Amino acid sequence: MAVKSTAEIPQATRIAMTWVILSLAAAVAVGMVGTVYLTTPLEGTDSEKVFLVMTNQLFPPIVAGIVLSAVLAAIMSTASSQLLVAASAFAQDFYKTLLRKDANQTELVWISRASVLIIASIAVYLGFNPNSFILDMVAYAWAGFGAAFGPAILMSLFWKRTTKAGVIAGIIVGGVTILAWKNFAPFDLYEIVPGFIFSLVAIFIVSKIDKEPDAEILDTFEKVDRSKI
């Protein structure tokens, strides 16, 4: 994220992918070890607490406190940034764009503050609900984002033949696939997998049928691609 030029992108890619692979593999390993190590299986929403439970059982109190503090710090960091992004999006993209186009900056600041309070209250309610599967909801939301916009971004970056119509088709197909698979899945598979694949196929087919992008866009693509060498 802090690269100074496009020449540093390959190194940044290696660093980012190494970190992602290690962190996600560790998360999966914690869940697998938890199913074997814990004498009392965690059921329902308690299954989302496997890391916290194992921390309390495996480490002395002072070490467990440090580890749990790190977890809390990560949660607070993510929550604060997501709250700010959500409040800003509501104030700028919804309130000012659709409701009050002439709203001044002071009014937008107060709308953002009110949005933070409302969104935080909803989040607290969901958190206190013992029957709410937070991780399931997060996974569902990210599946929608990943299947709808992931293929569109990747195809736009790596295939110069991608067209506007193809991207729109991919977003629609990916989003619809997530909704359909979540509710009518023929077998148990995380919905982002079929959603991502079908979105890629839709972008490819529609872009092939559609006319080629303008020469200016193709030239820009080639210029950016050459700048990474």
Side-chain angles (χ1 to χ4, degrees):
M1 294 174 65
V3 294
K4 297 179 181 179
S5 68
T6 54
E8 297 180 1
I9 290 180
Q11 180 183 4
T13 301
R14 290 191 292 270
I15 294 173
M17 290 307 300
T18 300
W19 165 247
V20 168
I21 291 172
L22 289 176
S23 59
L24 295 184
V28 173
V30 168
M32 296 176 66
V33 171
T35 59
V36 177
Y37 176 80
L38 297 176
T39 55
T40 303
L42 300 177
E43 299 178 352
T45 56
D46 287 337
S47 61
E48 300 178 356
K49 305 173 185 176
V50 59
F51 183 85
L52 307 179
V53 173
M54 290 180 63
T55 298
N56 287 323
Q57 293 188 11
L58 291 173
F59 298 107
I62 187 170
V63 177
I66 295 174
V67 174
L68 295 179
S69 297
V71 174
L72 181 61
I75 293 173
M76 292 176 64
S77 173
T78 303
S80 62
S81 61
Q82 294 296 331
L83 278 173
L84 291 175
V85 170
S88 177
F90 178 81
Q92 297 290 340
D93 301 335
F94 181 78
Y95 184 81
K96 186 176 182 179
T97 301
L98 300 178
L99 300 180
R100 280 181 56 83
K101 296 182 179 180
D102 57 345
N104 56 41
Q105 192 62 36
T106 302
E107 182 179 352
L108 293 176
V109 169
W110 282 104
I111 291 296
S112 296
R113 291 172 177 173
S115 302
V116 169
L117 291 176
I118 295 173
I119 296 171
S121 299
I122 296 174
V124 170
Y125 169 77
L126 292 175
F128 274 109
N129 183 0
N131 296 318
S132 65
F133 287 80
I134 303 298
L135 291 183
D136 281 354
M137 289 189 290
V138 172
Y140 189 25
W142 278 113
F145 281 119
F149 300 107
I153 293 174
L154 292 175
M155 293 290 276
S156 299
L157 288 174
F158 296 104
W159 189 40
K160 64 181 180 181
R161 185 64 174 75
T162 304
T163 65
K164 178 181 178 181
V167 169
I168 294 175
I171 293 174
I172 295 174
V173 170
V176 171
T177 301
I178 295 299
L179 294 173
W181 196 273
K182 182 69 175 179
N183 294 282
F184 309 104
F187 51 89
D188 188 17
L189 177 66
Y190 186 28
E191 52 270 17
I192 195 175
V193 177
F196 195 93
I197 295 173
F198 292 157
S199 179
L200 277 177
V201 173
I203 294 174
F204 179 80
I205 293 176
V206 175
S207 295
K208 275 292 189 180
I209 297 174
D210 197 12
K211 65 178 183 179
E212 286 192 2
D214 296 336
E216 181 181 357
I217 296 177
L218 297 177
D219 291 340
T220 302
F221 187 97
E222 294 291 345
K223 182 179 179 181
V224 173
D225 195 43
R226 287 194 299 269
S227 67
K228 294 184 294 184
I229 301 176

